[in-house]
Amino acid sequence: MKRLTVFTPTYNRAGTLPRTYESLCQQQSKDFAWLIVDDGSTDNTMQLVQMWQKAGLIDISYIQQPNGGKMRAYNHGVRICQTELFMCLDSDDWLTSPSSITDLLNFWDQHKDIAERDDICGIISFKHILGREGSYYINGPTMIMDDIVTNSSECENTTTYKTEVIRKYPFPEIEGEKFITEGVVYDRIDQQYQYLIFQDYTQTCEYQADGYTRRGVNLVINSPRGYQIYYNQRMVVARKGFIYNAKMYVATSLLANDWHFLQKASRKLLCLVATPLGYIKYRRLKQGHW
């Protein structure tokens, strides 16, 4: 059995997916399976993948599902994963080097004394963003995600999880919404686990004009209940930014037409104090401004 599942959720990315495929074909190690969950694509993604499967250069599994957003595709991928490790590689990203998987698995094996600890959920490595040059260093060997993000705000991360751990933390699936920030799961994992830090670039990405990263305020407007869950959670787990999280909880609750937000708030007094600021933020979001 393969050791690693490289998971790619995709939606209408036939234009960028070949770059992802080529980077996988170039890997020195073939100790991985590529699992693609197609979230209702209407382009020629299926035909491309079928052609690659016939070529047989790498192990590819292809699953189709009705369009429901990345979190549903991610949950689906985790449920059917059969390997020890699970890494997400988005359909507009690619592996940085032909040795990326070799280096990652070797690092895992070389640090088995840490990797096998019950409080370790997997590996954090770096993701290089085209157009954003620089070098990054996280003071390891292990950290929680919140500290990693705080100490490397200009750096994107690549997560490779123990499958048995990530399976415990599915994304909430909210009727009528197709997005929820990954921070919801990261915060929950942080309460019990740390990441082993791999000081190297594993993936490269190029932000797409229609990608989640650049859609900003529209994501909040279209997925308010997901963000409501996130900011309600942040009021409890965050070690700073309490007023900001409370303000955003109020604003996203109002966007979701949830007028019982004070009763549901994880920190009711804080929420009450932040309600005027939250209302102002709600009005700005409604006008399309962050």
Side-chain angles (χ1 to χ4, degrees):
M1 180 183 292
K2 309 287 188 182
R3 295 186 63 195
L4 171 69
T5 289
V6 178
F7 165 69
T8 299
T10 189
Y11 174 70
N12 287 345
R13 282 284 185 260
T16 61
L17 202 57
R19 185 169 56 185
T20 309
Y21 169 69
E22 289 298 329
S23 76
L24 289 166
C25 289
Q26 292 168 7
Q27 290 305 299
Q28 297 166 357
S29 170
K30 294 298 187 287
D31 197 6
F32 69 92
W34 191 23
L35 171 59
I36 303 168
V37 174
D38 187 341
D39 189 43
S41 292
T42 56
D43 60 7
N44 65 325
T45 293
M46 181 178 70
Q47 289 78 11
L48 271 177
V49 176
Q50 287 176 339
M51 179 178 67
W52 297 335
Q53 286 176 316
K54 288 179 182 177
L57 298 179
I58 55 174
D59 183 346
I60 304 175
S61 296
Y62 177 67
I63 307 295
Q64 290 179 299
Q65 67 174 33
N67 180 246
K70 182 178 178 179
M71 75 271 202
R72 290 181 173 85
Y74 195 99
N75 287 346
H76 194 163
V78 171
R79 280 194 301 269
I80 64 177
C81 177
Q82 298 180 3
T83 60
E84 173 193 0
L85 299 171
F86 180 92
M87 176 176 71
C88 184
L89 176 65
D90 287 339
S91 53
D92 49 4
D93 296 350
W94 61 97
L95 295 179
T96 302
S97 161
S99 67
S100 289
I101 288 178
T102 299
D103 294 342
L104 190 74
L105 293 178
N106 284 344
F107 177 80
W108 186 250
D109 290 339
Q110 290 163 8
H111 294 80
K112 230 167 185 32
D113 57 327
I114 299 175
E116 291 182 346
R117 280 172 22 192
D118 290 340
D119 66 332
I120 297 297
C121 63
I123 307 173
I124 281 281
S125 51
F126 299 132
K127 181 185 291 189
H128 174 235
I129 305 167
L130 291 187
R132 187 188 295 178
E133 304 304 325
S135 59
Y136 307 97
Y137 182 81
I138 299 173
N139 186 23
T142 67
M143 292 179 76
I144 63 171
M145 178 67 79
D146 200 32
D147 286 342
I148 292 168
V149 172
T150 300
N151 288 288
S152 57
S153 59
E154 294 301 315
C155 181
E156 291 279 349
N157 301 309
T158 296
T159 52
T160 302
Y161 286 105
K162 294 177 180 175
T163 303
E164 64 182 7
V165 173
I166 193 61
R167 196 167 278 146
K168 301 175 186 176
Y169 297 93
F171 283 96
E173 297 184 12
I174 302 165
E175 186 176 355
E177 295 187 2
K178 295 183 179 181
F179 177 81
I180 190 164
T181 174
E182 294 171 343
V184 169
V185 169
Y186 290 156
D187 281 344
R188 294 176 182 179
I189 292 174
D190 273 358
Q191 305 315 299
Q192 296 190 43
Y193 295 97
Q194 299 182 66
Y195 298 82
L196 180 60
I197 310 300
F198 181 32
Q199 306 282 357
D200 202 356
Y201 292 99
T202 305
Q203 298 182 12
T204 302
C205 74
E206 181 179 34
Y207 288 148
Q208 305 299 308
D210 60 343
Y212 282 133
T213 305
R214 290 190 172 173
R215 282 159 58 186
V217 67
N218 290 331
L219 287 177
V220 182
I221 293 171
N222 294 326
S223 307
R225 286 184 290 168
Y227 277 99
Q228 181 189 33
I229 291 170
Y230 173 64
Y231 287 112
N232 199 18
Q233 184 173 283
R234 287 298 290 173
M235 283 191 287
V236 175
V237 302
R239 287 170 286 182
K240 60 182 181 179
F242 304 113
I243 291 294
Y244 176 81
N245 289 320
K247 175 185 73 174
M248 291 303 299
Y249 170 71
V250 172
T252 53
S253 296
L254 295 176
L255 284 172
N257 295 315
D258 184 350
W259 304 101
H260 302 286
F261 63 88
L262 278 177
Q263 292 96 308
K264 297 177 181 178
S266 57
R267 299 186 65 179
K268 293 179 174 55
L269 181 58
L270 178 62
C271 248
L272 185 62
V273 171
T275 293
L277 294 173
Y279 180 76
I280 294 170
K281 186 66 173 181
Y282 158 72
R283 296 298 303 171
R284 283 188 58 79
L285 290 169
K286 286 284 285 185
Q287 294 167 4
H289 303 296
W290 187 257

